[in-house]
Amino acid sequence: MGKSNDKRELILKNSARIFSHKGYFGTGVNEILTACNIPKGSFYHYFPGGKEQLAVEVLRFAYEEMVEGIKTNIFSVSDNAVDVFSYMLDHLSMIFSKRHIFESLVITFMGLESVYISEELSRESTRVYEEWQELYRLKLIDCGYSEEDAAGYSLTLFTLVHGSLISCWIKQNTEDLQRMKQQLPFLLP
């Protein structure tokens, strides 16, 4: 990767971290410049559309990072859906306990705020959410579920995993992720 791509990725990573804690409206360009130790000109070189363009690209970047992690570290553990999603919930609990950034929280915050920011960011948020649900659906098909069952279960899993993660973030503990893990055998017959 070239130096130019390294700096661009540095901006994306730092911005994702800041957005995950403060959201779009709570984050200023100067804060990003300070976190990346770059001048304003460098920022606008990579993101001529400013903070709004950055937000769209951070959303895509965070989603792609999350998908890579899910495919590599989660989906590869088994072809049994209960095992896979149980492992996912344990993995999320572990990450949460270590206070790592959550790509899914960046996506959530940006998605919630996107309706107030721009149509472009709103469209990208919608695409990301649709792709995320499709990711779960395809894994369920790989685990042997029919197309119809996979479509229904993927929406249920997506909603419950995502909701549990948000709840854990608000409560600052992992109890809801663990409760959901106990319910998986009943959710995925």
Side-chain angles (χ1 to χ4, degrees), residues 79-109:
D79 285 331
N80 176 288
V82 172
D83 292 345
V84 167
F85 287 95
S86 290
Y87 186 79
M88 176 184 281
L89 294 168
D90 284 339
H91 186 75
L92 289 170
S93 292
M94 182 269 304
I95 291 172
F96 184 89
S97 297
K98 292 184 176 184
R99 300 283 184 221
H100 289 228
I101 72 158
F102 283 102
E103 286 85 1
S104 61
L105 287 176
V106 174
I107 296 165
T108 300
F109 294 156

Side-chain angles (χ1 to χ4, degrees), residues 5 16 91 142 164:
N5 287 338
H91 186 75
D142 287 346
S164 294

Side-chain angles (χ1 to χ4, degrees), residues 118-157:
S118 74
E119 285 186 35
E120 182 182 8
L121 186 56
S122 184
R123 279 192 305 275
E124 186 62 23
S125 294
T126 298
R127 267 193 299 276
V128 162
Y129 269 74
E130 289 169 351
E131 290 175 23
W132 196 352
Q133 290 173 18
E134 179 68 1
L135 179 71
Y136 286 10
R137 187 186 74 79
L138 292 174
K139 181 58 180 174
L140 290 168
I141 289 170
D142 287 346
C143 291
Y145 289 88
S146 70
E147 292 273 343
E148 184 179 340
D149 286 345
Y153 293 143
S154 66
L155 177 60
T156 301
L157 282 168

Side-chain angles (χ1 to χ4, degrees), residues 8 11-12 15 19 24 27-29 32 40 42-58 110 117 120:
R8 182 175 181 68
I11 296 168
L12 289 168
S15 298
F19 284 143
Y24 179 87
T27 301
V29 171
I32 293 167
K40 193 176 272 191
S42 290
F43 174 80
Y44 286 103
H45 169 75
Y46 294 107
F47 304 98
K51 188 170 120 177
E52 185 179 318
Q53 178 188 353
L54 173 66
V56 170
E57 293 190 35
V58 162
M110 301 301 276
I117 299 169
E120 182 182 8

